[in-house]
């Protein structure tokens, strides 16, 4: 019921959540990025019930995020691997992890550090950037109707999109958390 | 039950999901970034039941993502506003939206376009980057134990972290989606 509503919403966040927003799914994606490929390894690493894991993997395969294919070496073992669509999810997971590190665990207690393999240096904070690479704050962007916007979305964005940004900029100095 | 498990996991993705991974919460965050502040506007824009909206907002306020305060102008009206912790969630939402645009809606059917306010130019794709700004692919990073890693996490990362990257790099040319 709730999922149907999300899938029908004309919003890419809602539609993405319809696919990856179920309990466990993002942690299954995390495992896939950590290199987990076998059903029993997902199960062991996550401590997830077989039936839930099975349903979640099935959906990710059906929707093209993972493939399920024979493991290299010719046995009958099957492996789950990220597709290009699945690998493209990497910035979402990293942004979520960094936010959790910074605002929940606390920056000095991050359980995992992500480093560039070649240099060993920690990666940058995932950020919203302008086309030329400058980091942009929420107040510096505006939402405008895209090519897939329906009439309701167009009306809403036309009447509202510019407002929050202006209001936020005006209150910036007074905001108690100042950032 | 499931939430408790997530909160106890020593993983910032799991802990972030414990806060923002419930149905509706990310869409409430989307609304907040679009400038929605009043309970009834959240309700109308999302088509969400009052009791669910109320519970979700309460949690976001309790956990420091939103504040609930008197609207400017001196009336009794209350407004929900993003805190610094809430605004820091922006890259997660933008990454999720761009992924949905590209892989679910299709790039030519994005309902919303996000532009830099000053230039009107569309923002860049949210990406994982090295400290010097280069875009990094999943195969170019490794996960290593952070300061908050427990013994189990350390053992796991020591034995596994390097592997998936190496394996992925080796199979790179053969992967059917090649990216």
């Amino acid at each position: 019921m709730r999922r149907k509503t999300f899938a029908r919403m004309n919003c890419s966040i809602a539609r993405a959540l319809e696919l990856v927003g179920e309990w466990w799914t993002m942690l299954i994606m995390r495992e896939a990025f950590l290199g987990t490929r076998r059903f029993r390894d997902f199960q062991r690493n996550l401590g997830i019930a077989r039936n839930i894991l099975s349903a979640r993997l099935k959906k990710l395969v059906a929707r093209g995020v993972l493939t399920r294919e024979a493991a290299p070496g010719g046995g009958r073992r099957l492996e789950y691997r990220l597709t290009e669509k699945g690998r493209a999810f990497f910035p979402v997971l990293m942004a979520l992890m960094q936010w959790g590190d910074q605002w929940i665990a606390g920056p000095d207690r991050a359980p995992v550090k992500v480093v560039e393999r070649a240099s060993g240096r920690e990666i940058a904070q995932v950020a919203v950037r302008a086309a030329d690479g400058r980091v942009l704050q929420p107040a510096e962007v505006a939402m405008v109707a895209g090519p897939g916007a329906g009439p309701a979305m167009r009306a809403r964005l036309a009447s509202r999109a510019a407002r929050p940004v202006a209001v936020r900029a005006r209150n910036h100095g007074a905001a108690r958390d100042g950032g």
Side-chain angles (χ1 to χ4, degrees), chain A residues 101-177:
Chain A
D101 282 345
Q102 176 135 27
W103 294 99
I104 301 176
D108 308 332
R109 287 182 298 173
V112 171
K113 239 174 50 176
V114 183
V115 299
E116 184 184 11
R117 206 173 157 65
S119 66
R121 289 187 66 190
E122 202 159 352
I123 62 169
Q125 285 289 308
V126 176
V128 175
R129 289 169 190 266
D132 63 11
R134 274 171 302 114
V135 172
L136 297 174
Q137 299 307 315
E140 295 174 288
V141 307
M143 318 271 175
V144 299
M153 176 71 85
R154 279 179 199 280
R156 186 168 172 212
L157 289 171
S159 71
R160 297 176 56 96
R163 209 189 81 198
V165 176
V167 171
R168 214 178 269 133
R170 220 169 36 234
N171 289 334
H172 207 252
R176 75 175 194 202
D177 46 8

Side-chain angles (χ1 to χ4, degrees), chain A residues 13-66:
Chain A
I13 295 173
R15 288 190 191 156
L17 289 173
E18 193 276 323
L19 208 173
V20 298
E22 286 171 315
W23 285 104
W24 289 110
T25 297
M26 292 224 204
L27 295 181
I28 291 170
M29 294 295 284
R30 175 199 76 183
E31 283 303 310
F33 278 107
L34 275 167
T36 300
R37 294 187 171 170
R38 298 174 64 176
F39 188 93
R40 71 175 192 194
D41 293 335
F42 280 106
Q43 204 188 353
R44 190 196 55 212
N45 293 337
L46 292 169
I48 181 179
R50 279 185 72 84
N51 61 331
I52 296 176
L53 176 59
S54 175
R56 295 292 177 274
L57 286 170
K58 208 165 272 178
K59 183 169 177 180
L60 289 170
V61 170
R63 304 286 286 276
V65 174
L66 298 175

